Amino acid sequence: MYNDSIPGGEASSADAEKGFASESLSEPGPGIATPLSQSQTTALELQPSHHSHPKSTNFPLSFWKWATKKSNSPSDIDTNPPPDGGLQAWTITLMAHMVGFNTFGFVNAYGVLQSYYVSRFDLPPSTVSWIGSLSAFLVLFISTFSGRLTDAGYFHQTLLLGTILQLLGFFAASFAKTYWQVLVAHGVCIGVGGGLIFIPAISLVGTYFTTRRSLALAICAVGNSFGGLIFSAILQSLLPKLGYGWTMRVCGFVIMGSMIPANFLLKPRRIKRNKAPLIEWSAFGEPVYACFSVGMFFGMVGMWIPVFYLGSFGRDIIHIGTKDASSLLLIINGVGICGRVIPAIVAARFGPLNLMIPLSLVSGLILFCWAGVSNHTEVVVFDVFYGFIMAAAQGMFPPSLGSLTENLSKMGVRMGMVFSICGFAVLIGNPLAGALITLDGGRYLYAQMFAGGAMTLGVAFLTAARVLKSGWSIRARV
């Protein structure tokens, strides 16, 4: 409209305006914002900005990728034989030792809490023992699933989840007020968490060793006794001073301090693992494995009864003080450290199962002798002998099963299956012993005979497994 109003000057005015407009677009003045051409806009879009913000990560997607990432991808399989030593192998052993410290170490200290729970909730021993028995059962029973997850390549995910659940159980138990709250936090949560970390770590050690496997697994087993010693001392000293809540929190912080490095340093070997079901039912068709499993079941039924009831036996039958009764657990776990180390040194020469059978037999005989204990001195002597022999026999369990397992890729599944069977033994044995104590009017004779008989019956099946494996030859190293 502007050009139409000036006659005779349309062309010159239009040309002038076009020239001015093009000049203005090509050389804009300072502070003047001008529209950009399509080519300029495209160039700027392709040029990276120096002030751009970092891209936001998709956390759910990243977590899912990590959770489904396997540690034994077929493209990176280690075909070398186990190193049987070296810095990494012994570091793995040390971390697995700490896992045993945090799981069965706390189970071994349960006797202190058994006496505390009985007085706090005013319940019979058989009822209270369900807390510790359920926790120990779940540590062992969940091993079937955690062992299979380890063989499937989900070691790191399983270990982390177990660590979180275990810590959650300790801190939840510290706020519990009723029996059922303690049963869920201590019995269920701590038990499930322990089951997710125990077998993955122990089975990992077996893949790093050959001739030194018995020694390495025995070092791991020392963690059970060492943890029982430390946790018993913590519970005994802090319960009267800080109360139940802060005592459980202290135990939780101890576990946190040891499990954080374990999650970083435990690393599975990238060995070829055959696909296997959750439970290898065909293994029970092997007479050697079946007899070993049954033997461990009966052995575990009787083995843990003194660990749960020796403190209350000292207080109620021997009439010693509460502190001295709790100290019996310190003794049984303290001598257990030596009991696990010494046999491990000679196991490589004589064979772990060859040592486990006589050690289990002596343990059963000592349990029968428990019925003759009548004073403080005698109960301490029983405590020392049983603690040493029982720990030695128990320490031979993982290497004995390892010597019977020829295919290392099935180590996690088969060990987890036997541990689950042992879990049912602990779940049944300790509450049944408590019921026998009540049936006997508060006396312990029925429970003592039951423990010794179950342990001795287990030895018969272990002996059968050994004979089926290598015959009657004494020189055969199994």
Side-chain angles (χ1 to χ4, degrees), residues 214-301:
S214 297
L215 176 60
L217 291 173
I219 291 174
C220 298
V222 169
N224 300 3
S225 296
F226 186 54
L229 178 65
I230 298 300
F231 283 119
S232 296
I234 291 174
L235 294 170
Q236 180 182 346
S237 60
L238 295 187
L239 276 174
K241 298 177 182 178
L242 301 181
Y244 175 76
W246 270 108
T247 301
M248 292 297 285
R249 289 177 205 129
V250 169
C251 293
F253 286 125
V254 171
I255 288 178
M256 182 186 297
S258 56
M259 284 308 300
I260 289 176
N263 274 267
F264 285 100
L265 295 176
L266 284 173
K267 182 180 179 182
R269 288 186 65 222
R270 296 182 180 273
I271 61 177
K272 184 179 180 180
R273 300 180 185 271
N274 299 325
K275 291 183 178 180
L278 180 63
I279 300 176
E280 189 187 354
W281 295 107
S282 60
F284 294 110
E286 301 174 13
V288 174
Y289 185 82
C291 287
F292 183 83
S293 301
V294 175
M296 287 307 306
F297 173 82
F298 285 110
M300 283 290 181
V301 166

Side-chain angles (χ1 to χ4, degrees), residues 3 28 40 134 146 196 203 250 260 283 293 320 322 353 410 419:
N3 292 339
Q40 289 173 313
L134 182 60
S146 60
L196 288 174
S203 62
V250 169
I260 289 176
S293 301
I320 60 179
T322 302
L353 187 58
K410 297 181 178 181
F419 269 95

Side-chain angles (χ1 to χ4, degrees), residues 273-360:
R273 300 180 185 271
N274 299 325
K275 291 183 178 180
L278 180 63
I279 300 176
E280 189 187 354
W281 295 107
S282 60
F284 294 110
E286 301 174 13
V288 174
Y289 185 82
C291 287
F292 183 83
S293 301
V294 175
M296 287 307 306
F297 173 82
F298 285 110
M300 283 290 181
V301 166
M303 182 180 293
W304 286 90
I305 291 175
V307 177
F308 275 58
Y309 292 103
L310 194 59
S312 59
F313 172 83
R315 188 185 67 248
D316 300 335
I317 304 300
I318 307 300
H319 304 295
I320 60 179
T322 302
K323 185 176 181 180
D324 290 334
S326 299
S327 297
L328 295 176
L329 285 175
L330 294 176
I331 296 173
I332 201 171
N333 286 295
V335 299
I337 296 175
C338 299
R340 293 179 188 273
V341 173
I342 296 176
I345 298 175
V346 297
R349 179 177 180 182
F350 296 100
L353 187 58
N354 290 341
L355 290 178
M356 185 179 182
I357 291 173
L359 289 171
S360 299

Side-chain angles (χ1 to χ4, degrees), residues 5 24 44 55 68 141 166 172 188 192 324 352 415 433 448 472:
S5 62
S24 299
L44 285 177
K55 293 183 179 180
T68 56
F141 178 73
Q166 198 177 27
V188 177
V192 172
D324 290 334
M415 190 174 290
Q448 291 160 341
W472 292 99

